[in-house]
Structures are given as C-alpha cells and as structure tokens.
Amino acid sequence: MMLNCQFQKQIAMTLLSSYQIQSLAPSPLQCLSFSHQPNNPKPCLPLKTMPKPIHFSLVIAKSHQHHHSNPQTKSQDDGIPIDDVKTIVRFKSRYNYIRVLEVSRKADHPFAGSRLLLLDAPGNIHSISFRSKLLTQTYFDVFATLPPILPPGPIGILGFGAGSAASLILKLYPEVVIRGWELDPSVISVGREYFGVSKLENEYQDRLFIYIGDALKASTRDGFSGILVDLFSKGSVIPELQDPNTWVMLRKCLRKGGRVMVNVGGSCVEAEDSGRDGKVVMEETLKAMSDVFGGKVLVLSLGNRDEDSSLALTGPMPDLDSWKKMLPRSLMGYVDMWIPFTS
C-alpha cells in the first residue's frame, strides 16, 4: 500500500523538537563539481520551476520506549522510535533546506533500512532508497510501470531529486535512456553522495544524463517517449502545472504515442503557503491536463482515504493485460488502479 499523508504533517514538528533543526551555513556539498552535466539542449518550455517534494510523510515516535506490534499489521502510519532514526546531513542550499535521514535496519517499520531526503521547511520527503531492496512501496514504484506503454525513445524526469525513479527504471528496463532535470545542484550532490546516484552514472553512462536547471525547459532531439513530472515548490505542486499552456508545451515535447505521468498531489500535501490547498491544486492540475489532452487523463489514488494524494497519466486506457505482462510481478497490481478522470 502506498504511503499516506500522516508522515507529512508530523515530520516538521518532530524534527524541530527532536533534532532542534536550525538554519545552517551552506554545506561544502554545494561546492562539489558536477562532471556529468551535458549542455542543456534547446529549451522548448520557458517557465521557471523549483524542486519538488515527495508526498508521503514520516511519523517519528518521540517516546524512546520500544514499540511492540504485530509485523503483519505494521504500516507507514506507525511511528518510528527516535532512536532508530539518524540525521546524516543537514544544510541550507540556495533553493532548499536539505536533510538526509537514515532509518535503522532494526526498526519495526516499512522504512527500516532506508535513507530519506527531506527538503523545504515542512520537511517534505523527496526521495527514498533502501540498502537491501529495489522497490520502495511509494509512488516511485508506480512511475516505474510507465516504460512498457511508451514508444521507443528517452524518458524525461522533471524533478530528478535523489534519483529514486531513475534508479528503478534503469534497473528494470535495460533499454531505457533517462534524461533528468533538477534545479538545485545541491540536491544532485546529496543524491550522488548518499543515494547512489554516482554509482548509477558510472554503471549507466550511456543511459543516464542529468541536467542542472529549469525542468520546464527540458527537451531532447526528436522528443521524449514519456515524461515523469514531479515538480513542487514549498510543499505544493508548482503553479505552472495548473496552467493549460504548460501542458500544451509538454505535449509538444512528446513523440507520437508518448505519455506523461504526473504526481498531482492532493489533500495530503501541506504547503508552506496556507492558501495553496492541496486538493484544490490537484483538481486544477487535473483539469488543465484534461483540457489539453482531450479528456484522456487517468488517475490513480495512492491510498484509501480522502487526504491521500494521486498520480495522473495522459492518453487512453492501455490494454491492461498486455501492460501487466510487460511488468515485474510486484508491480502488476498498480495497473488495475487507474480510472478515467472526470471533472
């Protein structure tokens, strides 16, 4: 089951009280060189974007007492004892307040053995990686179902973060080429240092290309076969994604038969700006997409409650049986979760 909203709303208070996080001086990580940054191709989109958060949250139990529970009923809602969580790095970059947390392998929690990238004041989780398993039980796994329903060609990731989606896709699909964009070079530094992005770049030199810059200026020769969009600023889906003109330009960047899969957020999303209601922003984003793609938009809810967030997929409903046959067994269940969007 996908991670839900309760992580998001509690992590900021927990971090502030438990870790006493304060504004920090810039980290030396910001000065790291970037040896694998090809020159940006000619832009096809002129809008400005900011880095994005990943929409699940982390409940860290303030009590130091050991939590006894039935492992079969343990879920992401259950707290992680503070002794099982370690802060590896924290600093302020030009664009973000960056923190990397590590959850002990001994923790009685689905996040045991993971590293988490937190950005922005609310402590939104942008990326997750596990030491001993590939899949994440988050929406990144849903992103990894996209390649089999695309025409041949590169996939663009707008909002690369620490490479969670890229890692999954590169390892599951030997033929896929990924071009990822991230605004904040410090986020890429952290990804390389703590989330294995450097290893990915070395292992997939001809299949992974990372660009530092405005994700909505992403383009590639002959267009993308598919685009993954995960763009947030200050805890909210960026305003450009509620503008139909943005989707017109993104559609122009697709090859014939190409699709876009988008993290559209939801009520779960707690923005720094109280006026940016997550559910309203999600609905406006879906409406803008539907207007541009002729009503051919599918939606997948990440949980069973109203406050959970959603993904969107452009294009007609794929043949579900054929789609499943091209996926690892562990990802097949997501195929049946898509439903047509109705405004």
Side-chain angles (χ1 to χ4, degrees), residues 243-262:
D243 182 355
N245 291 323
T246 300
W247 297 105
V248 169
M249 290 183 285
L250 281 172
R251 186 179 59 183
K252 291 178 180 178
C253 292
L254 289 173
R255 296 186 178 190
K256 183 178 180 180
R259 295 175 183 263
V260 185
M261 188 180 288
V262 189

Side-chain angles (χ1 to χ4, degrees), residues 20-200:
Q20 297 181 339
I21 290 177
Q22 301 173 355
S23 298
L24 303 176
S27 164
L29 280 171
Q30 292 174 260
C31 302
L32 294 181
S33 61
F34 297 92
S35 59
H36 191 64
Q37 295 178 22
N39 292 329
N40 280 342
K42 182 180 178 181
C44 75
L45 300 174
L47 302 179
K48 184 174 181 62
T49 69
M50 296 290 287
K52 49 77 182 121
I54 166 174
H55 289 123
F56 52 85
S57 50
L58 176 63
V59 181
I60 302 178
K62 296 182 181 180
S63 170
H64 287 240
Q65 298 177 354
H66 183 69
H67 287 237
H68 297 279
S69 65
N70 185 338
Q72 294 182 342
T73 60
K74 197 76 172 176
S75 74
Q76 291 90 353
D77 283 336
D78 296 305
I80 304 175
I82 195 68
D83 288 342
D84 289 334
V85 181
K86 179 173 66 174
T87 300
I88 298 177
V89 66
R90 54 180 180 172
F91 65 96
K92 294 197 75 172
S93 72
R94 177 181 177 185
Y95 299 104
N96 290 293
Y97 181 19
I98 296 175
R99 285 141 288 178
V100 177
L101 304 186
E102 186 168 83
V103 182
S104 170
R105 295 183 185 184
K106 299 179 181 179
D108 182 18
H109 193 274
F111 274 7
S114 71
R115 281 187 176 176
L116 308 171
L117 173 64
L118 278 61
L119 300 180
D120 301 325
N124 298 313
I125 303 175
H126 287 233
S127 295
I128 180 171
S129 68
F130 289 87
R131 304 171 196 170
S132 58
K133 63 181 181 179
L134 180 61
L135 297 183
T136 67
Q137 292 183 295
T138 72
Y139 73 81
F140 289 125
D141 297 354
V142 186
F143 274 175
T145 67
L146 181 61
I149 56 172
L150 299 178
I155 294 176
I157 298 181
L158 310 189
F160 189 83
S164 296
S167 178
L168 281 168
I169 292 171
L170 289 167
K171 293 172 182 177
L172 290 173
Y173 307 101
E175 74 288 354
V176 172
V177 172
I178 288 177
R179 298 186 181 274
W181 275 259
E182 176 61 51
L183 183 64
D184 191 345
S186 294
V187 170
I188 299 300
S189 292
V190 167
R192 287 171 171 151
E193 181 76 14
Y194 300 105
F195 291 85
V197 172
S198 288
K199 183 177 179 180
L200 287 177

